[in-house]
Amino acid sequence: MLDVVRIGADILARKAEPLLEFNDALKETIAHMFEAMARDRGIGLAAPQVGIGSRFFVVSIDGDQPRFFANPEIVMTSEEQVDYEEGCLSIPGVYAKVKRSAFVKVQAYNERGRPFVLEADGLLARVILHENDHLNGVLFVDRLGDAKRARLLAEYERRLRI
Ligand code: NI
């Protein structure tokens, strides 16, 4: 079982490297990531969050098929943005509204290394953008104003000490 890395770990602040090998080891890692995500009741999990500095993530939203994205490129986002409350398995207990594009077009590779293009809106678009941020070393709290980010993280640290 994979452990989820928490905020403060270097790997969460680094840009991940392209995924080059689509092999059996990857399939096993993906399976473990889906397990870890289900255990922690998440809907998305990026490789850096389990200590792997590669560009891939998994998504599992109720009512939708489980999804895998490797080396994603966001090729289009809508100008229209929506505010929605987000959390992250790497910052447990912290939630805040984040503004993101309502629609996204993403190009990526599946677990066999085959390319695909997906257009998404609603929660799926949001999760794709959140997880893609992880591959660039960006957490959702980094998209908040400095004061709000500092306040939420101070609360988080205080809770850790109790
Ligand atoms: Ni996250």
Side-chain angles (χ1 to χ4, degrees):
M1 189 63 96
L2 290 168
D3 285 326
V4 175
V5 174
R6 301 282 173 87
I7 187 170
D10 281 350
I11 195 160
L12 291 179
R14 276 206 303 265
K15 198 170 155 73
E17 300 291 329
L19 177 67
L20 302 176
E21 302 256 15
F22 294 80
N23 52 20
D24 286 346
L26 174 67
K27 287 198 182 82
E28 208 166 299
T29 299
I30 295 170
H32 288 311
M33 284 173 71
F34 274 110
E35 281 170 23
M37 189 167 57
R39 175 194 62 205
D40 293 350
R41 299 174 192 285
I43 55 177
L45 187 63
Q49 292 183 275
V50 292
I52 301 170
S54 292
R55 304 186 73 77
F56 63 92
F57 59 80
V58 296
V59 175
S60 181
I61 295 173
D62 268 355
D64 186 27
Q65 65 190 92
R67 295 180 185 273
F68 170 82
F69 301 77
N71 302 332
E73 296 290 340
I74 305 295
V75 290
M76 212 266 273
T77 53
S78 62
E79 260 176 55
E80 187 202 350
Q81 296 205 315
V82 280
D83 239 353
Y84 193 82
E85 189 166 80
E86 293 190 17
C88 180
L89 295 183
S90 293
I91 328 172
V94 173
Y95 302 92
K97 278 193 172 174
V98 181
K99 203 167 262 193
R100 295 193 193 266
S101 290
F103 170 88
V104 61
K105 183 172 176 181
V106 59
Q107 184 184 310
Y109 294 82
N110 71 12
E111 65 282 357
R112 290 182 302 281
R114 303 233 170 84
F116 65 91
V117 174
L118 179 74
E119 296 185 351
D121 58 8
L123 189 55
L124 182 57
R126 178 160 296 268
V127 178
I128 288 169
L129 290 169
H130 175 120
E131 301 310 326
N132 189 66
D133 269 356
H134 275 298
L135 306 184
N136 295 321
V138 176
L139 301 175
F140 81 94
V141 290
D142 299 330
R143 293 199 169 274
L144 306 173
D146 285 348
K148 188 163 191 191
R149 181 186 190 280
R151 180 174 59 76
L152 285 172
L153 293 184
E155 282 171 19
Y156 170 74
E157 306 250 328
R158 204 175 311 128
R159 247 181 292 126
L160 283 187
R161 286 196 299 268
I162 293 170

